[in-house]
């Protein structure tokens, strides 16, 4: 009695049956290796694509420009000082007891831009007798940049005195030291007698900060 013989049609791709021909096994191995290479290539391409999209989507941050350094302080030797219009002082003085103002101009005679910031020091002198003006701290101020040839100014405020009275100085010279300097320049005083500041009283002789002209 004979039994029917069953045969299988088809097989799984790449499966090599025991005893298969060596050439078949070699071809199968090459197919598997090529398949792995194609898979690795596709994975690498997808990864590079993801990185490229992320780089495009990332916001561009521009570097902040470096702040320009401020100019150096103006040197006394580079400043020309002169009396300027705008004050209430009268040549020779007038109305003893009144409060008067005089304006000083500072012109940059140097070759580079410089800066003035703060209060000048001012001393009124008559020989060995002097009167120091205090800073007018109630006035706000900021730094002033002076290009070559440009000017700034400040204001002196003083109480007019009566010649010959006690507590009165009759200045000959105003000694001015610009801000951030130790050297000074002298200006001929032309505004008459000045009542000295009383130590216990309200300031009446003071100097304002340098401001732009």
């Amino acid at each position: 009695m004979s039994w029917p013989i069953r045969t299988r049609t088809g097989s799984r791709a790449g499966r090599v049956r025991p005893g298969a021909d060596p050439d078949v096994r070699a071809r199968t191995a090459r197919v598997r290796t090529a398949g792995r290479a194609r898979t690795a290539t596709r994975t690498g391409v997808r990864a590079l694509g993801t990185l490229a999209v992320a780089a495009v989507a990332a916001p561009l941050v521009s570097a902040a420009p470096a702040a320009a350094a401020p100019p150096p302080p103006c040197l006394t030797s580079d400043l020309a000082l002169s009396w300027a219009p705008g004050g209430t002082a009268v040549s020779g003085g007038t109305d003893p007891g009144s409060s008067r103002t005089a304006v000083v101009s500072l012109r940059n005679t140097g070759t580079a831009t410089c800066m003035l910031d703060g209060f000048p020091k001012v001393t009124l002198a008559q020989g060995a007798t002097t009167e120091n003006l205090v800073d007018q701290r109630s006035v706000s101020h900021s730094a002033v940049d002076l290009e070559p040839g440009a000017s700034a100014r400040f204001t002196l405020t003083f109480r007019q005195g009566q010649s010959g009275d006690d507590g009165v100085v009759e200045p000959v010279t105003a000694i001015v030291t610009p801000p951030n300097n130790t050297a000074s320049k002298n200006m001929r005083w032309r505004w008459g007698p000045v009542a000295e500041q009383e130590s216990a009283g309200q300031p009446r002789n003071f100097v304002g900060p340098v401001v732009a002209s």
Side-chain angles (χ1 to χ4, degrees):
M1 181 175 179
S2 62
W3 300 92
I5 298 174
R6 295 179 180 177
T7 60
R8 294 182 180 177
T9 60
S11 61
R12 294 183 180 177
R15 176 177 296 176
V16 180
R17 295 188 300 276
D21 186 273
D23 292 339
V24 174
R25 288 199 297 270
R27 286 196 299 272
T28 302
R30 286 196 296 271
V31 169
R32 289 176 177 171
T33 301
R36 294 192 190 100
R38 286 194 296 272
T39 301
T41 301
R42 287 195 295 269
T43 302
V45 170
R46 286 197 296 269
L48 290 175
T50 302
L51 291 175
V53 171
V56 172
L60 297 176
V61 179
S62 58
C74 298
L75 299 178
T76 301
S77 57
D78 288 333
L79 295 172
L81 277 59
S82 61
W83 299 110
T88 62
V90 175
S91 182
T94 187
D95 296 334
S98 63
S99 181
R100 296 290 173 175
T101 59
V103 180
V104 177
S105 172
L106 308 96
R107 183 170 59 87
N108 181 7
T109 60
T111 58
T113 299
C114 61
M115 176 184 65
L116 288 170
D117 186 12
F119 296 84
K121 301 300 180 185
V122 178
T123 298
L124 306 182
Q126 178 191 12
T129 303
T130 59
E131 173 73 1
N132 295 318
L133 277 63
V134 299
D135 296 345
Q136 189 180 7
R137 294 290 181 180
S138 60
V139 178
S140 61
H141 70 282
S142 59
V144 177
D145 292 348
L146 279 186
E147 296 181 352
S151 296
R153 61 184 174 84
F154 67 90
T155 300
L156 306 178
T157 301
F158 62 94
R159 182 69 57 86
Q160 195 81 69
Q162 177 65 53
S163 180
D165 285 356
D166 291 337
V168 170
V169 59
E170 299 188 42
V172 176
T173 304
I175 305 170
V176 179
T177 306
N180 301 306
N181 279 272
T182 56
S184 60
K185 284 192 173 182
N186 294 346
M187 302 179 66
R188 184 175 179 276
W189 184 256
R190 51 190 288 192
W191 312 115
V194 175
E196 295 177 343
Q197 173 67 43
E198 297 177 1
S199 58
Q202 291 292 325
R204 59 190 183 189
N205 299 330
F206 45 84
V207 56
V210 174
V211 297
S213 292

